[in-house]
Amino acid sequence: MPAGVMIPARNMPSMITGNGSVSGYGTSSGLALGQPNNMMEGQLHPLEMTQNASESEIARMRDEEFDSTNKSGSENHELGGSGDDQDPRPNKKKRYHRHTQHQIQEMEAFFKECPHPDDKQRKELGRELGLEPLQVKFWFQNKRTQMKTQHERHENTQLRTENEKLRADNMRYREALSTASCPNCGGPTAVGQMSFDEHHLRLENSRLREEIDRISAIAAKYVGKPVVNVPLLSSPALPRPFDFGSQPVTEEMYGVGDLLRSISAPSEADKPMIIELAVAAMEELVRMVQMGEPLWMTSLDGTTCMLNEEEYIRTFPSGIGPKPTGFKCEASKETTVVIMNHINLVEILMDVNQWSTVFSGIISKASTLDVLSTGVAGNYNGALQVMTAEFQVLSPLVPTRESYYVRYCKQHAEGTWAVVDVSLDTIRPSPTVRCRRRPSGCIIQEMPNGYSKVTWVEHVEVDDGGVHNLYKQLVSSGHAFGARRWVSTLDRQCERLAGLMASNIPTGDVGVITNQDGRKSMLKLAERMVISFCGGVSASTAHTWTTLSGTGADDVRVMTRKSVDDPGRPPGIVLSAATSFWLPVSPKRVFDFLRDEHSRSEWDILSNGGAVQEMAHIANGRDPGNCVSLLRVNSANSSQSNMLILQESCTDPTASFVIYAPVDIVAMNVVLNGGDPDYVALLPSGFAILPDGMTVTDVGMADSGGSSGSLLTVAFQILVDSVPTAKLSLGSVATVNNLIACTVERIKASLSCDNA
């Protein structure tokens, strides 16, 4: 077995304790899920005292059957194999002997170091003290039971004290409420004298309490007990302007969404199986990372590792079962070095909010349903989480992939960590499952100077029947959801975070923001803008797209949203429109054209032909295309005021984005001075540029002379009415439709001329 592979501890056939709770694996598994289940801990041997025995019974049993571990003169059977010991006659008096003070002291000292001695340790201790191993075994069992009883008695005392304190607080509050007076007149208060805000808050509190009770009842149905403290949906670290969860779901979304809506936290009966599955998945991931040919075959161009399915089945015959009928296998492996230490990387992967933020271009939504283990020693070693996630390509033409899985983190050696995902569909089958995650994840190895080596394995089985023909080649090649997509995104985001923390900013370039607080505020605002854009372009289950015009790839899809009381979005009715199409030029050329402020007037209709000037920028990585810019559109009409545009452009070998949003001049001045960017209203629009998957060379950034094409998604958000309760007019829809169609034609014309 390869070094570092985690296996369950020996002599541990069961993982369910006597009270039904889940016990953990041994120290080799790294799980912090309870103590090993040796001889049903908490239950006594027939020669041990029971917890429920009365004081008189305990005294009688102490005198007749075994030694008491809390007395210096404990008793035990004298074992020597004499036939007299088994004599059934009642007149035959059994022989006993007491443990000496020395024996008790030695066993007490050994118990402090090791309360669970093995057979070898019991024999050695018995030999030193002149006792039989079985006597030593019974003494340790009794001692553990005694300690457990004392611990429970102590906990009961603490809980009783807390209960009395809460009762006293409750009485004090009741008395205070009964004597409450009106702050205006000094008289007794009444509901009718409440302010409107207070009355509204009380009604809202009552509604929320009913919602909690309803969720608790649903949780109790599946888990067996109320689980009001387990969030069924995560709270994103940053606000997501595209939150369409309240809108009805239609068949326009390719029929997906039923899986995640039907999933709840796992039951107690499922947890042992989940743990076993996670342990096996970790072992498989480590072996897949370490193995080369014939399991992994290198592509003809030498850039991609492809899985040999036949060899995989021979090497891992058990797994999570055979591939479902009609599903396709997508498997890839990729290695890179990123500028982030291994501890921070593990934290990002195990925190669902950070994870979904860093990979916002791949993850449309994610949540943690249950945490089976938080890890040990103050870190994520042994952490187990049951999660759901929806993976996306930034185009409404590609259905999202929903997955219900367990994520397991383990430290294999000093500076080496592994994080693995594996689907739980075998435990809770669902007819709506269209994507299964076989063991997938990454091995993270510490490197000098704060760098880390990341080896990523992505292995899924998926029904890709709903993918549009434009994107079939890209998806089937594995570059849309594969390992290279994950590591490229991670590398780019690590560079972005490193740039955010940089303090030695060169001051020679014009427009470079050197104020550290201003840089952080502007980058935080740009990050929220990117997350908002990425969350509203794909065919996510949270969106209800309606097709307006065009046929096939030229369809323009729109959806509406009402924005109310959100400081990060302007109030009113927002109309979103998106379309995807193919261009016969490389992704790099499309990216350079769209991000260049000098060529912006060629496609940006809203700039009205005005000259665009970069006022400030922040570099986000080695590639000059990775940056955040503040642009000013100088209006050609002197009667119109100038407009500011916040833009972030980012590129990696698998995808490129140009995302922008008009911003208020006063608000941006506050941000540049280090103010809070959360109150700047944004409606982001932009472009997602992907390779068409037709080439086997550098699929992401083929040079201008290559034959590769690009898949371009154009997405706009327009505030069509500042009154949220207003009706959406057909004229507004037609205007947005014409705007996006005209933009597409301008881009095609400009790039066709360049290509010619």
Side-chain angles (χ1 to χ4, degrees):
M1 185 167 293
V5 174
M6 178 184 61
I7 61 176
R10 296 177 301 165
N11 302 326
M12 197 170 57
S14 173
M15 291 183 296
I16 306 179
T17 60
N19 60 4
S21 63
V22 179
S23 67
Y25 288 91
T27 55
S28 62
S29 70
L31 297 182
L33 301 177
Q35 296 296 330
N37 191 15
N38 292 334
M39 296 191 64
M40 303 298 287
E41 192 67 47
Q43 299 182 7
L44 287 174
H45 188 274
L47 297 181
E48 297 172 333
M49 58 183 172
T50 60
Q51 293 180 351
N52 298 325
S54 65
E55 293 297 329
S56 60
E57 290 174 333
I58 292 176
R60 178 176 56 80
M61 294 171 68
R62 180 186 304 121
D63 293 336
E64 295 180 356
E65 295 187 356
F66 65 96
D67 69 316
S68 173
T69 58
N70 64 340
K71 299 292 183 180
S72 63
S74 60
E75 297 178 350
N76 223 326
H77 285 284
E78 178 179 344
L79 303 174
S82 172
D84 294 341
D85 294 340
Q86 287 82 29
D87 194 334
R89 291 176 295 172
N91 295 332
K92 183 66 176 180
K93 190 172 183 179
K94 297 182 180 180
R95 291 177 295 171
Y96 298 92
H97 81 273
R98 294 178 179 275
H99 292 325
T100 66
Q101 187 68 23
H102 171 71
Q103 290 172 336
I104 292 176
Q105 289 177 351
E106 290 297 320
M107 286 191 288
E108 289 276 5
F110 195 91
F111 182 86
K112 293 179 180 179
E113 300 294 332
C114 178
H116 293 270
D118 55 25
D119 291 340
K120 183 178 179 181
Q121 292 171 318
R122 288 197 296 265
K123 290 179 181 178
E124 181 67 21
L125 187 59
R127 186 182 62 79
E128 293 177 358
L129 301 178
L131 298 174
E132 292 291 335
L134 195 58
Q135 291 178 291
V136 177
K137 177 180 179 180
F138 290 166
W139 188 93
F140 273 86
Q141 288 179 349
N142 293 336
K143 184 65 175 178
R144 289 194 297 268
T145 302
Q146 179 200 21
M147 297 301 293
K148 180 178 179 181
T149 302
Q150 292 176 352
H151 179 68
E152 290 177 349
R153 187 179 295 112
H154 178 68
E155 284 187 343
N156 289 339
T157 302
Q158 286 184 324
L159 291 174
R160 190 178 295 108
T161 303
E162 292 179 4
N163 189 27
E164 292 297 332
K165 182 180 178 181
L166 291 174
R167 184 179 288 108
D169 289 343
N170 188 23
M171 294 299 296
R172 188 170 67 255
Y173 295 149
R174 285 177 179 271
E175 183 179 356
L177 288 175
S178 63
T179 59
S181 60
C182 176
N184 296 326
C185 64
T189 58
V191 176
Q193 296 174 340
M194 292 183 190
S195 66
F196 175 79
D197 291 339
E198 184 179 357
H199 186 59
H200 177 74
L201 288 174
R202 292 202 177 194
L203 292 176
E204 181 69 10
N205 189 34
S206 176
R207 185 189 66 80
L208 291 175
R209 188 178 294 109
E210 293 176 358
E211 183 72 9
I212 291 174
D213 293 340
R214 184 182 66 83
I215 294 175
S216 179
I218 296 174
K221 178 180 178 182
Y222 291 98
V223 183
K225 59 183 179 180
V227 192
V228 296
N229 60 331
V230 178
L232 296 183
L233 291 176
S234 64
S235 300
L238 295 175
R240 290 181 178 269
F242 281 84
D243 184 8
F244 301 93
S246 61
Q247 294 197 7
V249 180
T250 67
E251 295 180 359
E252 182 69 22
M253 297 179 296
Y254 307 96
V256 296
D258 296 334
L259 174 64
L260 297 189
R261 288 196 300 271
S262 64
I263 289 176
S264 61
S267 65
E268 292 294 328
D270 291 338
K271 290 179 181 179
M273 293 182 287
I274 292 175
I275 297 170
E276 290 182 2
L277 189 62
V279 170
M282 178 64 73
E283 179 179 352
E284 179 175 322
L285 173 70
V286 174
R287 292 180 63 188
M288 291 186 72
V289 168
Q290 294 172 343
M291 296 175 69
E293 294 185 357
L295 181 66
W296 294 102
M297 308 296 293
T298 306
S299 60
L300 296 177
D301 59 354
T303 61
T304 307
C305 283
M306 300 177 296
L307 183 69
N308 184 336
E309 289 192 57
E310 294 182 358
E311 183 65 24
Y312 172 80
I313 295 174
R314 284 194 295 268
T315 307
F316 307 101
S318 55
I320 58 174
K323 181 172 63 177
T325 305
F327 279 43
K328 293 182 179 180
C329 173
E330 294 180 10
S332 54
K333 182 173 71 169
E334 197 75 25
T335 300
T336 191
V337 176
V338 299
I339 182 171
M340 181 175 289
N341 70 67
H342 60 293
I343 299 299
N344 289 343
L345 284 176
V346 170
E347 183 179 351
I348 287 174
L349 295 176
M350 297 306 295
D351 185 324
V352 68
N353 294 327
Q354 294 188 57
W355 179 61
S356 56
T357 297
V358 169
F359 296 100
S360 58
I362 307 175
I363 304 165
S364 57
K365 58 184 179 181
S367 63
T368 300
L369 297 181
D370 198 1
V371 178
L372 304 187
S373 172
T374 57
V376 295
N379 56 40
Y380 286 104
N381 183 23
L384 262 174
Q385 302 175 359
V386 177
M387 306 175 65
T388 62
E390 187 180 56
F391 306 102
Q392 66 179 354
V393 170
L394 294 187
S395 170
L397 302 182
V398 182
T400 55
R401 298 179 175 183
E402 299 169 303
S403 187
Y404 170 55
Y405 59 94
V406 60
R407 174 164 292 179
Y408 177 34
C409 176
K410 176 174 168 54
Q411 182 179 11
H412 286 274
E414 185 65 29
T416 301
W417 292 72
V419 179
V420 65
D421 298 341
V422 62
S423 284
L424 299 177
D425 308 317
T426 54
I427 294 177
R428 191 175 297 179
S430 172
T432 60
V433 172
R434 298 194 178 187
C435 177
R436 295 203 315 169
R437 290 181 69 77
R438 287 192 176 272
S440 304
C442 62
I443 304 292
I444 303 170
Q445 296 172 282
E446 181 183 14
M447 296 188 70
N449 301 322
Y451 285 77
S452 298
K453 178 182 178 182
V454 180
T455 302
W456 201 290
V457 171
E458 194 69 17
H459 188 188
V460 300
E461 293 167 344
V462 62
D463 176 9
D464 61 355
V467 178
H468 193 278
N469 289 333
L470 263 182
Y471 285 83
K472 276 191 178 295
Q473 183 63 34
L474 175 65
V475 173
S476 62
S477 68
H479 295 302
F481 295 96
R484 194 179 190 194
R485 181 85 181 91
W486 287 93
V487 299
S488 297
T489 302
L490 180 63
D491 185 26
R492 173 171 53 81
Q493 291 284 43
C494 287
E495 288 187 355
R496 189 183 197 277
L497 292 173
L500 174 62
M501 303 305 296
S503 57
N504 54 342
I505 308 300
T507 58
D509 296 338
V510 178
V512 175
I513 301 176
T514 57
N515 178 9
Q516 188 71 6
D517 292 336
R519 286 172 57 86
K520 289 184 178 181
S521 294
M522 186 168 172
L523 286 174
K524 185 178 179 182
L525 180 62
E527 182 180 65
R528 175 160 65 88
M529 177 180 69
V530 171
I531 292 174
S532 173
F533 176 82
C534 293
V537 178
S538 69
S540 171
T541 57
H543 306 161
T544 304
W545 289 105
T546 302
T547 303
L548 285 186
S549 63
T551 58
D554 294 329
D555 289 345
V556 175
R557 289 169 167 79
V558 298
M559 60 180 171
T560 59
R561 170 178 47 81
K562 293 181 180 180
S563 175
V564 182
D565 296 333
D566 187 344
R569 292 180 269 187
I573 298 179
V574 177
L575 185 64
S576 300
T579 187
S580 298
F581 57 97
W582 179 78
L583 286 170
V585 292
S586 70
K588 178 175 175 53
R589 179 173 295 180
V590 178
F591 174 70
D592 289 339
F593 170 74
L594 293 174
R595 77 177 184 88
D596 187 358
E597 69 272 15
H598 301 296
S599 59
R600 188 180 187 96
S601 59
E602 297 183 33
W603 58 265
D604 189 0
I605 300 175
L606 298 181
S607 64
N608 295 321
V612 180
Q613 178 185 1
E614 184 181 65
M615 303 298 296
H617 76 272
I618 302 174
N620 272 339
R622 293 165 296 183
D623 193 302
N626 289 327
C627 67
V628 176
S629 304
L630 185 62
L631 309 177
R632 183 176 67 186
V633 180
N634 298 312
S635 176
N637 189 345
S638 59
S639 62
Q640 295 180 350
S641 60
N642 296 334
M643 177 174 59
L644 286 183
I645 296 176
L646 178 66
Q647 174 178 293
E648 176 159 354
S649 59
C650 48
T651 182
D652 61 55
T654 60
S656 303
F657 309 99
V658 178
I659 303 168
Y660 62 92
V663 289
D664 181 70
I665 296 178
V666 176
M668 277 309 301
N669 283 329
V670 174
V671 170
L672 293 175
N673 289 322
D676 187 359
D678 291 340
Y679 294 93
V680 179
L682 292 175
L683 280 181
S685 302
F687 308 93
I689 309 156
L690 301 174
D692 60 8
M694 298 300 293
T695 62
V696 294
T697 56
D698 191 356
V699 295
M701 297 287 109
D703 59 32
S704 59
S707 59
S708 67
S710 303
L711 297 172
L712 179 62
T713 296
V714 182
F716 287 156
Q717 288 191 88
I718 305 295
L719 183 67
V720 295
D721 200 308
S722 59
V723 180
T725 57
K727 298 292 184 179
L728 181 65
S729 65
L730 293 179
S732 299
V733 176
T735 299
V736 173
N737 186 33
N738 291 334
L739 173 64
I740 197 169
C742 186
T743 302
V744 168
E745 290 302 318
R746 288 193 174 194
I747 292 173
K748 287 182 177 180
S750 298
L751 290 174
S752 297
C753 292
D754 291 345
N755 199 40

